[in-house]
Amino acid sequence: MATKSEKPFKSIFRKVPKWQDLWFYQKSEVLYQMTYIFCERFLPQYGDRTVDQMVQAARSGKQNIVEGSEDGKTSTEMELKLLNVARASIGELRQDYEDFLKSRQLHQWTHGDKRFQPMQDFTKSHNLLSDYEPFFTQWTAEEMANVGLTLCFQVDTMMNKYMESLEHTFVTEGGIKERMHQARTGYRQQQDSRLQQLEQTVPALQQQLEQAQAEAAEWKTKYEDLKQRALKAYQQQQKEITRLKEKIEL
């Protein structure tokens, strides 16, 4: 426990945002749940590996964001690796949605399509699963696939920006080993500084001690003198009392 003169130790663990609060995680959660319903509604439940691939890719994207964020408390390097895995999984999911539209001659909405901008506005301003769930059973295959594609692009863009900030943090602050070294070095410096301060006070304390000892010796001498004088006065008084008693008896 740090004393009043000591500064509290800086934690070696990096402060990371809660993964639940990350917008790209929230959107990845929407993607996973939506992809599961999409596959149930529009893909055959047996004999088509696309179902497993899409669901697993969506789940991998979501879960690796969670694991990366948790590992980021101790290892920025590991967080970056897991986020890259998440990006790759989201990339696979995006490709599956694109293949679905192409193979069924459905349209992938672009800027020229009047449905594109309203979809972009909705997905940009809504991150929570509860915002999307009411539409999971209402959207057509084309609508749902385009929303899934858009979310994939948005998640990837957000993750790229987040990872750039992580890379900057890693370059400027280092990883867990650097933070441990800094913490240990800081502690040693703090202890060395405290020791130096204490050593500097020793001469003054020694002088005060010597002065106190001298004053005590002086008071002891005065006490002995007073003691002797009082004893002498007492003895003289006793002699005088004895002399007076003898005189009275005569």
Side-chain angles (χ1 to χ4, degrees):
M1 183 176 180
T3 63
K4 292 182 178 180
S5 60
E6 294 178 336
K7 296 181 180 179
F9 299 124
K10 184 178 179 181
S11 175
I12 63 173
F13 298 109
R14 186 171 66 86
K15 290 184 178 180
V16 296
K18 294 181 179 179
W19 49 265
Q20 298 94 328
D21 297 334
L22 294 169
W23 286 0
F24 58 82
Y25 167 77
Q26 294 173 2
K27 289 182 184 293
S28 74
E29 169 69 9
V30 173
L31 263 174
Y32 172 63
Q33 298 297 337
M34 189 180 74
T35 299
Y36 189 90
I37 301 299
F38 176 86
C39 291
E40 280 194 334
R41 289 185 62 197
F42 304 115
L43 290 173
Q45 296 303 299
Y46 303 99
D48 190 344
R49 293 186 59 194
T50 305
V51 174
D52 289 338
Q53 290 173 353
M54 290 184 71
V55 173
Q56 287 302 318
R59 185 181 184 280
S60 174
K62 178 177 71 75
Q63 290 302 112
N64 277 289
I65 292 172
V66 175
E67 293 177 21
S69 181
E70 290 295 330
D71 287 347
K73 296 174 183 177
T74 56
S75 175
T76 306
E77 181 182 2
M78 182 58 69
E79 183 176 11
L80 286 168
K81 286 181 179 178
L82 289 171
L83 288 179
N84 264 319
V85 173
R87 281 191 63 238
S89 296
I90 297 299
E92 291 177 14
L93 181 62
R94 183 179 69 231
Q95 189 68 51
D96 285 330
Y97 275 120
E98 288 177 348
D99 289 343
F100 178 89
L101 291 171
K102 291 176 182 177
S103 63
R104 288 159 179 80
Q105 289 80 49
L106 298 175
H107 294 288
Q108 182 173 337
W109 302 345
T110 59
H111 288 281
D113 194 305
K114 64 180 181 180
R115 297 168 294 183
F116 178 79
Q117 196 57 50
M119 176 187 63
Q120 283 277 43
D121 294 339
F122 178 82
T123 52
K124 282 183 178 179
S125 58
H126 294 81
N127 300 314
L128 301 179
L129 178 61
S130 57
D131 298 328
Y132 292 81
E133 281 182 317
F135 302 102
F136 286 172
T137 56
Q138 300 176 22
W139 281 330
T140 64
E142 185 175 299
E143 289 171 334
M144 211 166 185
N146 274 283
V147 171
L149 271 174
T150 301
L151 287 173
C152 286
F153 280 115
Q154 290 176 358
V155 169
D156 186 70
T157 299
M158 290 179 177
M159 289 180 67
N160 270 326
K161 291 181 180 179
Y162 183 75
M163 291 171 66
E164 286 176 3
S165 69
L166 283 182
E167 290 171 351
H168 176 74
T169 299
F170 182 75
V171 170
T172 56
E173 299 180 12
I176 185 67
K177 292 181 180 179
E178 288 82 1
R179 291 194 295 275
M180 289 175 68
H181 175 72
Q182 290 172 2
R184 182 59 181 166
T185 301
Y187 174 76
R188 288 294 302 272
Q189 290 175 345
Q190 182 176 299
Q191 296 305 306
D192 289 344
S193 176
R194 179 61 179 159
L195 178 60
Q196 187 177 3
Q197 290 176 356
L198 291 174
E199 289 177 339
Q200 290 174 349
T201 62
V202 169
L205 290 174
Q206 187 173 2
Q207 185 178 1
Q208 292 176 10
L209 176 62
E210 292 173 352
Q211 182 178 352
Q213 289 174 335
E215 290 177 355
E218 182 180 350
W219 279 106
K220 183 177 181 180
T221 301
K222 290 181 179 180
Y223 168 76
E224 290 295 331
D225 181 59
L226 287 172
K227 179 181 176 182
Q228 292 300 323
R229 288 166 61 185
L231 181 61
K232 184 177 180 181
Y234 171 78
Q235 291 172 345
Q236 289 177 345
Q237 187 179 42
Q238 288 297 104
K239 287 180 180 180
E240 182 64 17
I241 290 172
T242 302
R243 187 182 68 76
L244 289 174
K245 283 181 177 181
E246 290 174 350
K247 199 172 183 182
I248 292 172
E249 290 174 356
L250 292 175

